[in-house]
Amino acid sequence: MHEIVEKPLLRISTAGSVDDGKSTLIGRLLYDSKSIWEDHLEEVSRSRVNRAAHGPDLSLLTDGLRAEREQGITIDVAYRYFGTPRRKFIVADTPGHEQYTRNMATGASTADVAILLVDARKGILPQTVRHATIAWLLGVRKLAFAVNKMDLEGFHHEVFVRIQKQSEELLATLVGATASYFPISALDGDNVVEPSKRTPWYKGPSLLDWLENVDAEPASDGPFRMAVQLVIRPHLDFRGYAGQIASGTIRPGDAIRIQPTGTPARIKRIVSFDGDLDKAWAPMSITLELDREIDASRGDWITAASSTPQRARRLKTTIVWMNEEPAREGAAYLLQHGTRITPVRLARIAERLDPATQTQVRTNELRLNDIGLVELETADALPFDLYRENRATGAFILIDRLSNLTLGAGLIESSLDDEHHSGSLHSSERAALFGHRPCLIDLSERPELAPALERHLLLRHSHALILENEDVPADFLLDAGLLVVATTPRPEAAVQASGLSSDPATAIAELLEALHHAGVFALEDDYVEGEGI
Amino acid sequence: MSQLALPHLRYLEAEAIHILRETAAQFRKPLLLYSIGKDSSVLVHLARKAFFPGKIPFPLLHIDTTYEYPEMIEFRDRFTKEIGAELRVYTNRAAVEAGANPYDLGTAKCCHLLRTRALVEGLKEGAYDAAIGGGRRDEERSRAKERVFSFRDREGQWDPRNQRPELWNLYNGRVDPGESIRVFPISNWTESDVWRYIEVEKIPLVPLYFAEPRQVVVRKDTLIPLEANVKLLPGETPVTETCRMRSLGCTPCSGAIRSKARTAGEILVELSVFRRSERENRVIDHDQEGSMELKKREGYF
């Protein structure tokens, strides 16, 4: 077997303005690392469109579609593959035009590092700022500034130093980002694969050298998170939860919790086609068997018991809008987070970020390629981590219910519940999280029904308790959002148990009906009405 | 910091399994397009892993052009039976009965009828809403922009200008009745990844992939193995060459290459010095510049 000790696969996103030479650079990396097939190269050389003065036009290798070849621009995200004995690379080649922000965000969403093309003659442009900001927003922390067309500037050291200086202001705004700089000529190959003799003042590695050695942040760090994709149940004695680990590691015996219910369990086995595993880590796809029968299914997360995610229905998010039809305040969509799809409403569009100037503009709609700060309300409470802490559990997409199109990509910035009411929840938020409003029920006429009613309420995940002591005021329990079943007379109670059926089961049904009638469980209905669908 | 990493082949495997599971979970009636070639053999292997200890929860569909090598059909029937997979076969009967063949129609038209049309009809007839294929982005330039979940309209057509954005590993598979999604779990694999995986996982393949002395004719620098359906053109004489197929298709249209590689490991060594793409020996891809993009728009895999 040829097991070479290799670095893990590196995903690269590239961005650049029109004519920065991005496609030429990628063509050069592919060509010089011998990842281009000769017949593809010959097809390119034969092509009617060739913008290179001499030799094959390397940019044609990566500009795939007919329209692009004819217009000489890249219009979509194209993925390229190349490898060296040390490492394999996936390059997302993303276009630099203003109207294609969405493609840049797409390429950056899975990238470990971003290569930012800078034209040595023009320096840092608003476009460069835009690209760096978008890559950073989507979680890319390692930025490589490829200062291209150095040949046209005579490979002067001062040009390179000036651009490095120019970028410092930009970097100061991108918290946690680190930058590396390369003086290159994509056309001639200087410092792309081999160090160039034409830049004696440059002592750093070639771009490829850097790509081969840079460390990506491994997703195996961080707390265990896995979205349940499906339940594998080939026979009655086996129930396996299948998913791809989003972050962290897991071992048999580990304590976990199902989210959003919070149900605890332990890992019994990590099952695989090749035999049971004694350890698994991100981004492996695995099947987990738990030590007890619990109710978990697609849409739920399995998380470490020791470090659980936040949970909220109201979220502050950054959204990259990707559709021609603008996003408007109050609009209802579907939100896909992990493997869960839930209705969502854009409660407030606060502002739009101009990534080229890094300024915020007040707005109440987002147009194609806008990036905005948006407050959301979801129908189901979502278990989540902040995007900047965990890309997998902090990301979501928005889908149109009618056209089924993917409309936008979202990054969770914070829980609004926590931010506005640090420490104490607002009663409406608590009601939303509990799934019911607080209510006092006077059961003094039929106190024997209290245990059965409590059981019924708990079974439907309501938060209920029985209050037998007449001296205890119910107020503080109601403030805590609870359903209080009092067995002593409470004239102030919203639900009075009078005239109930003598049959206990019927009486319980009548009580539940009365609670519905009092609007105790009306939250979800309200919500659906609010969507206008 | 624990610094646990996953070797790149295991990364690709985990990604593909995630995509296969999403397909099984999101669609009402998915299927796996099984061409008997190395890429679909890898797909089937990944599907066995994805749903273990359960069975593959969707059928395998083979579009039989009737021009396949007999060894392929024999392998197909034996292998699918062995692993307990459900096999469906679909042929464009009307076109076959009307005598469709590459000599009279030309390769482009023949391929359109026996592969593209057959596939679109087959999917429609079974009301399948997702078809999993072994397409890889490194095969051809237009494939580089294909999504992992790639939308097809009611006519099975692809619109490269209007694709759904695809971010992170969140795949949107929502479709209306009649529409469908083509799913490409090994999008991010290269030809050598496929061979390395076949070697490491010991995946069985049709023997045509491995070198042996075979009766061939040399046609436009391509070796065409002599099979029942291959007609000799004027001036052609059969010769014996030690060769193997790099990519499998119909007998008249897929060529072999001179090679001595008899195992996946030997093929990998050969690949490391190769400078030409595997599809070069597929006559259909070169009908005109950008011809793969045209075929894909019409519904070809």
Side-chain angles (χ1 to χ4, degrees), chain A residues 11 36-39 42 60 68 79 81 106 109 220-221 229 274 285-287 298 387 404 406, chain B residues 1-2 4 8 11 14 18 21-22 49 141 144-145 161 166 168 172 188 275-277 289 293:
Chain A
R11 301 193 67 144
I36 287 286
W37 301 115
E38 272 175 13
D39 53 307
E42 284 161 15
L60 290 178
E68 292 171 60
Y79 292 90
Y81 306 85
T106 302
S109 73
S220 52
D221 290 347
Q229 290 186 273
D274 305 300
S285 281
I286 54 168
T287 299
R298 178 171 171 86
Y387 185 79
N404 297 322
T406 302
Chain B
M1 275 228 303
S2 59
L4 283 169
H8 97 276
Y11 172 97
H18 174 258
R21 287 167 168 175
E22 279 305 288
K49 286 195 168 195
R141 281 185 294 160
K145 318 219 152 170
R161 298 299 298 264
E166 203 163 68
W168 301 289
N172 172 5
N188 285 331
R275 298 306 318 272
R276 306 187 79 83
S277 81
E289 197 196 340
E293 186 188 333

Side-chain angles (χ1 to χ4, degrees), chain A residues 248-357:
Chain A
T249 60
I250 192 87
R251 290 181 182 79
D254 281 358
I256 57 98
R257 277 178 190 274
I258 304 296
Q259 306 292 350
T261 57
T263 313
R266 279 182 187 279
I267 304 297
K268 184 174 156 196
R269 292 166 63 205
I270 306 172
V271 180
S272 95
F273 185 79
D274 305 300
D276 283 9
L277 307 177
D278 55 15
K279 183 180 181 184
W281 60 93
M284 290 165 76
S285 281
I286 54 168
T287 299
L288 295 173
E289 196 181 1
L290 303 180
D291 68 342
R292 68 201 79 173
E293 292 252 334
I294 51 167
D295 181 23
S297 56
R298 178 171 171 86
D300 291 338
W301 290 86
I302 299 179
T303 69
S306 55
S307 170
T308 54
Q310 301 188 54
R311 186 166 174 274
R313 275 187 62 233
R314 296 177 59 229
L315 301 166
K316 190 196 240 174
T317 66
T318 296
I319 288 181
V320 183
W321 195 250
M322 303 185 160
N323 197 42
E324 303 281 349
E325 193 66 32
R328 298 213 164 80
E329 240 173 46
Y333 305 108
L334 294 175
L335 179 148
Q336 183 174 341
H337 172 256
T339 53
R340 178 180 297 263
I341 293 185
T342 180
V344 66
R345 198 172 68 88
L346 305 193
R348 183 164 167 259
I349 298 175
E351 54 199 28
R352 183 170 64 79
L353 169 73
D354 181 348
T357 56

